[in-house]
Amino acid sequence: MAATRLFLRASPVKCSLTGLTGGVHSSLGLTLLKLSPACTAKPQAQRRHAAHFTYHPEPAPSQYGPTQKMNLFQSVTSALDNTLAGDPTAVIFGEDVAFGGVFRCTVGLRDKYGKDRVFNTPLCEQGIVGFGIGAAAAGATAIAEIQFADYIYPAFDQIVNEAAKYRYRSGNMFDCGKLTIRSPWGCVGHGSIYHSQCPEAFFTHCPGIKIVVPRGPVQAKGLLLSCIADQNPCIFFEPKILYRAAVEQVPTEAYQIPLSQAEVLQEGSDLTLVAWGTQVHVLKEVAAMAQEKLGVSCELIDLRTILPWDTETVCKSVVKTGRLLISHEAPVTGGFAAEISSTVQTYESTWIFKFPPQPHKKVTARESKYLSLYFALF
Amino acid sequence: YVSTYADFTPQATFDIKKCDLHKLEEGPPLQAVLTREEGLQYYRTMQTIRRMELKADQLYKQKIIRGFCHLYDGQEACAVGIETGINLSDHLITAYRAHGYTLTRGGTVREIMAELTGRRGGIAKGKGGSMHMYTKHFYGGNGIVGAQVPLGAGVALACKYLGNNEICVCLYGDGAANQGQIFETYNMASLWKLPCIFICENNKYGMGTSVERAAASTDYYKRGDFIPGLRLDGMDVLCVREATKFAAEHCRSGKGPILMELQTYRYHGHSMSDPGVSYRTREEIQEVRSKSDPISMLKDRMLSNNMASVEELKEIDVEVRKEIEDAAQFATTDPEPPLDDLCNHIFYNDPPMEVRGTNPWTKLKSVS
């Protein structure tokens, strides 16, 4: 159910704009239609599918010390372990975190660090975040877990009205920078409407918080540790489909990956692809297919931090390639791709970006609710 | 068998446990009258729910039902007892453990099972699944815990406003009882004297967390504070019935909301992905099954008072089993909803609107 926005730059060469952009657009678009398995519009219902992408582990980083094979939830546990070991004020709380969490992200931590540092909360998201804001404001490194991103909405007021604005409205006298909220995020194949949502777009409309989405275990640990260290309230969304599917060699020591820096995973010259979380892996396959079947060289960017996002990397890339395709799991209208495309358009550069004159063609999400069976058509 | 109905006791009076009361002078009666017909009907309905849930368990393990599935076996007395205490024209809303209520509120087993398997014969046309089942005057089937309670209060307001003497029963669990919006609802319902029965189905575990570890006060019937409350044995269908009748009378007489806590138990885990034994012992489950099973309790009562024969009840079992088998057969063979249905009912729109498909060149129609 990926939403994708596709933009083309008007060619500086003197030709009929309509013809050229139309031609390029439709041939690129149509061929994308044929090739991408996720985009087939078969009318008959599909039975169960395997995941809609294959996870390819990245090479182990060498600069952070010894590594160990970990999947995504284990890398999160490792990050939390490092935090609790190094920071005596760190506490982890949320629904069911004590026994290890419904996704095993906090296994063993309570036994190791004690029940006053890793504890369960009752079923009350608004309470969890409000409580976390208070704990952070009082000086504890508070790591709150919201069991599924779909349940974060009762806490929306606390995040947007309280956490995000605390530093500003108190004139820097108080802040809840030590708060990090972690939450499983994104499609998983059988989650349907309440276990698959990607609510990052709702929060990007709010200055004062940071939003981060990793694409794999090495990234997750580094980014999570950065979020925890960051002096602003952060929301860390963990793609739940990758919890077990993504396995890599992850450094055992603590390390940080800088926030607000997008990563160019693959250089290219014809098209810039932007994604975050699980969709990065889908676009990796798209890029490979485009290269093989069309000879199109794609530049793939993992945004990593959604808010504040790395405008420079993306815009520089689009200046180079002239075409931008952003893909995310959330619905198109009001999705973060809209913000990225709008910013890229207004980017000051010597190139002028123009919409293709025909009606906007998008490789988009269905705006409908999730149907558990049709999830396979992802 | 040759039935000689003259041999059976037409009705009997049973002693039922006293309810714990909060801010109430009197509680429901301590005795309940059960007629033979009622007894057989309750037995049949509870047995249908039990077998339906066990069948759903089986189908889930065969991967014919997928996604989420929260089973209700063990708690049948709650659904059946509540329904017999209210009318079909009253309203009811609950959280996700809704299969039992869908049945008592007028759904058929076929529709329910087809909804679980996601077929077009399902009660929500195959688009809702386990957690989203609805019938007339039954508002589901809600995935987000606690969110259904303010909704129920709203329905109660409509009842009061329209003056139709109907009430709304809002159910939630022991886990959800700690959600903020429930307390907001208590306040509104009490302030405006809404005809709302709040019912907390306390099955002792919120997913895997026992009530002692989640709630500062496990007296859920007192948590309404200014709302009068009852606590009763949710495994005894007669107890639940009498209490519901009492509560319904309270609401209909304009006294405002009332809270009931049903102490019950679920045999399965929280959902099909939860084995249910990592946070409680098998012995505990066995003990409840042997000592407090709602169906056994009713059966024993009826048999010991000669209100039915063993053969008669066995025959009901056989009929129920057949009904479930037929329904399962239907649910497995019914076709899935057509792709045309996929985007329907997003908005209410007079002319059909177009919705993008999975790529920009497929448009799907959305009709309402």
Side-chain angles (χ1 to χ4, degrees):
Chain A
M1 219 165 295
T4 314
R5 287 183 183 270
L6 176 64
F7 292 95
L8 300 174
R9 185 193 66 198
S11 167
V13 173
K14 282 203 183 104
C15 333
S16 145
L17 274 172
T18 323
L20 184 66
T21 52
V24 168
H25 182 105
S26 54
S27 69
L28 185 62
L30 280 167
T31 3
L32 273 176
L33 164 62
K34 275 186 232 144
L35 294 172
S36 175
C39 295
T40 46
K42 279 197 217 155
Q44 71 268 30
Q46 312 260 1
R47 297 297 288 182
R48 189 183 180 204
H49 283 251
H52 55 292
F53 64 96
T54 315
Y55 185 83
H56 296 287
E58 287 168 24
S62 50
Q63 70 269 45
Y64 301 123
T67 65
Q68 194 186 314
K69 185 165 152 188
M70 291 186 214
N71 59 28
L72 187 70
F73 73 73
Q74 287 166 336
S75 72
V76 169
T77 316
S78 176
L80 296 174
D81 193 1
N82 292 139
T83 306
L84 289 169
D87 178 355
T89 70
V91 283
I92 301 175
F93 50 92
E95 290 159 23
D96 300 309
V97 299
F99 85 95
V102 288
F103 290 110
R104 303 255 204 281
C105 295
T106 48
V107 170
L109 296 177
R110 186 177 167 100
D111 293 332
K112 202 167 166 187
Y113 296 102
K115 59 181 167 54
D116 53 335
R117 294 185 73 190
V118 179
F119 54 92
N120 282 339
T121 58
L123 214 168
C124 47
E125 286 74 24
Q126 186 172 19
I128 291 170
V129 174
F131 173 87
I133 294 170
T141 299
I143 304 162
E145 178 182 298
I146 299 291
Q147 197 161 77
F148 283 88
D150 315 54
Y151 306 160
I152 206 166
Y153 307 113
F156 195 83
D157 173 67
Q158 284 288 344
I159 295 171
V160 167
N161 275 333
E162 304 301 322
K165 299 172 167 61
Y166 211 160
R167 191 187 289 278
Y168 183 85
R169 60 184 155 92
S170 68
N172 204 22
M173 201 192 311
F174 288 101
D175 68 88
C176 56
K178 287 171 179 271
L179 173 66
T180 306
I181 300 167
R182 302 178 26 244
S183 193
W185 169 101
C187 80
V188 69
H190 55 270
S192 202
I193 48 181
Y194 294 130
H195 294 77
S196 317
Q197 290 179 39
C198 302
E200 70 273 6
F202 294 111
F203 296 100
T204 54
H205 195 53
C206 175
I209 48 174
K210 295 199 175 180
I211 305 167
V212 178
V213 186
R215 66 171 185 274
V218 172
Q219 294 290 311
K221 180 168 168 174
L223 291 168
L224 179 56
L225 286 168
S226 296
C227 285
I228 293 170
D230 192 277
Q231 290 304 301
N232 295 293
C234 296
I235 306 179
F236 187 76
F237 287 123
E238 301 160 1
K240 61 176 86 70
I241 200 174
L242 296 179
Y243 273 139
R244 287 180 194 265
V247 184
E248 276 175 352
Q249 290 287 336
V250 180
T252 49
E253 298 296 314
Y255 62 98
Q256 291 186 18
I257 292 178
L259 298 183
S260 294
Q261 269 190 29
E263 189 178 346
V264 179
L265 296 178
Q266 176 180 311
E267 303 240 354
S269 54
D270 297 325
L271 169 65
T272 301
L273 302 173
V274 176
W276 49 93
T278 320
Q279 204 64 6
V280 170
H281 305 290
V282 176
L283 287 192
K284 260 193 202 165
E285 292 180 2
V286 167
M289 266 188 209
Q291 177 68 67
E292 193 195 315
K293 310 268 168 117
L294 298 171
V296 168
S297 151
C298 298
E299 180 146 303
L300 177 58
I301 299 180
D302 176 6
L303 203 59
R304 301 199 295 195
T305 303
I306 316 301
L307 183 77
W309 63 285
D310 188 353
T311 49
E312 196 153 321
T313 306
V314 176
C315 293
K316 274 215 179 87
S317 173
V318 184
V319 165
K320 185 170 77 169
T321 62
R323 297 173 189 86
L324 173 63
L325 188 144
I326 312 149
S327 190
H328 59 62
E329 286 176 22
V332 169
T333 308
F336 199 60
E339 180 60 33
I340 296 177
S341 59
S342 154
T343 306
V344 165
Q345 278 181 68
T346 55
Y347 185 64
E348 282 160 32
S349 68
T350 54
W351 301 111
I352 298 166
F353 294 94
K354 272 198 182 164
F355 281 96
Q358 63 265 46
H360 223 171
K361 291 198 172 107
K362 294 170 201 161
V363 178
T364 71
R366 283 170 241 131
E367 301 264 28
S368 65
K369 305 287 184 285
Y370 292 87
L371 242 189
S372 34
L373 277 180
Y374 283 105
F375 234 82
L377 285 174
F378 232 71
Chain B
Y1 70 98
V2 176
S3 63
T4 46
Y5 293 107
D7 290 347
F8 290 126
T9 325
Q11 71 177 43
T13 310
F14 295 98
D15 291 329
I16 50 177
K17 285 194 205 142
K18 187 175 188 308
C19 301
D20 295 322
L21 302 175
H22 171 70
K23 297 227 163 98
L24 280 170
E25 293 299 318
E26 284 173 7
L30 296 172
Q31 290 191 320
V33 173
L34 179 71
T35 67
R36 195 181 112 82
E37 286 73 37
E38 282 171 350
L40 291 173
Q41 189 218 324
Y42 301 166
Y43 181 83
R44 181 184 287 270
T45 317
M46 289 204 284
Q47 192 70 283
T48 310
I49 298 176
R50 173 69 59 93
R51 292 254 74 89
M52 181 174 74
E53 297 298 78
L54 293 178
K55 191 70 192 173
D57 173 283
Q58 208 181 39
L59 291 177
Y60 194 93
K61 287 177 177 147
Q62 291 172 346
K63 298 205 162 81
I64 297 171
I65 296 177
R66 305 197 54 235
F68 293 99
C69 195
H70 306 86
L71 298 178
Y72 199 65
D73 53 319
Q75 298 185 213
E76 297 89 357
C78 298
V80 174
I82 290 171
E83 191 57 43
T84 49
I86 57 175
N87 308 319
L88 211 56
S89 57
D90 289 319
H91 308 266
L92 194 139
I93 187 168
T94 183
Y96 48 77
R97 205 174 296 281
H99 305 163
Y101 290 100
T102 318
L103 190 77
T104 54
R105 287 257 97 198
T108 63
V109 185
R110 268 165 81 97
E111 286 173 326
I112 295 172
M113 300 216 79
E115 186 59 41
L116 288 175
T117 53
R119 307 303 164 99
R120 61 178 78 185
I123 204 162
K125 304 188 182 54
K127 286 163 72 161
S130 163
M131 286 195 275
H132 306 112
M133 297 191 183
Y134 305 83
T135 70
K136 192 162 198 289
H137 293 212
F138 173 53
Y139 302 83
N142 294 281
I144 303 291
V145 294
Q148 75 277 10
V149 181
L151 225 138
V155 172
L157 176 70
C159 296
K160 180 169 177 173
Y161 189 86
L162 296 171
N164 50 25
N165 204 32
E166 289 164 10
I167 58 168
C168 183
V169 180
C170 303
L171 291 126
Y172 54 93
D174 46 280
N178 299 315
Q179 271 276 347
Q181 39 197 333
I182 295 191
F183 295 90
E184 293 179 8
T185 315
Y186 291 159
N187 186 42
M188 286 193 284
S190 202
L191 196 60
W192 300 323
K193 296 223 178 324
L194 302 180
C196 199
I197 307 178
F198 295 108
I199 301 187
C200 176
E201 280 180 294
N202 179 3
N203 58 18
K204 319 244 178 350
Y205 297 96
M207 234 163 65
T209 307
S210 71
V211 292
E212 295 80 36
R213 293 194 297 128
S217 161
T218 53
D219 293 330
Y220 294 102
Y221 70 112
K222 287 187 182 166
R223 299 248 260 176
D225 189 23
F226 35 80
I227 296 183
L230 299 168
R231 175 167 58 191
L232 52 131
D233 179 9
M235 302 301 259
D236 179 356
V237 68
L238 293 177
C239 221
V240 178
R241 183 187 78 178
E242 292 309 310
T244 311
K245 281 191 178 151
F246 175 84
E249 174 54 41
H250 183 273
C251 287
R252 280 190 235 273
S253 62
K255 295 195 190 125
I258 188 169
L259 211 141
M260 280 165 55
E261 179 190 336
L262 304 183
Q263 295 198 302
T264 181
Y265 200 83
R266 54 166 162 83
Y267 297 146
H268 270 89
H270 161 74
S271 70
M272 286 307 299
S273 53
D274 171 23
V277 288
S278 50
Y279 47 86
R280 53 187 189 173
T281 58
R282 279 186 215 274
E283 288 76 41
E284 182 187 299
I285 307 173
Q286 261 316 104
E287 196 187 331
V288 176
R289 237 190 238 277
S290 53
K291 294 213 182 105
S292 327
D293 183 78
I295 300 177
S296 306
M297 214 192 281
L298 179 66
K299 186 171 171 182
D300 290 341
R301 272 184 170 147
M302 290 186 67
L303 290 176
S304 58
N305 281 274
N306 197 28
M307 292 176 81
S309 70
V310 174
E311 293 84 21
E312 195 174 9
L313 295 180
K314 268 215 176 67
E315 199 177 289
I316 295 181
D317 286 348
V318 168
E319 283 169 19
V320 163
R321 239 179 257 263
K322 179 156 190 320
E323 188 185 354
I324 305 295
E325 275 309 318
D326 286 344
Q329 183 58 21
F330 172 70
T332 323
T333 53
D334 198 35
E336 284 164 358
L339 195 61
D340 297 335
D341 256 2
L342 180 65
C343 295
N344 286 345
H345 307 299
I346 299 173
F347 283 111
Y348 181 70
N349 32 261
D350 284 322
M353 70 181 215
E354 279 200 323
V355 173
R356 276 178 310 241
T358 50
N359 60 68
W361 301 277
T362 345
K363 296 274 194 235
L364 296 168
K365 238 194 206 158
S366 176
V367 180
S368 282

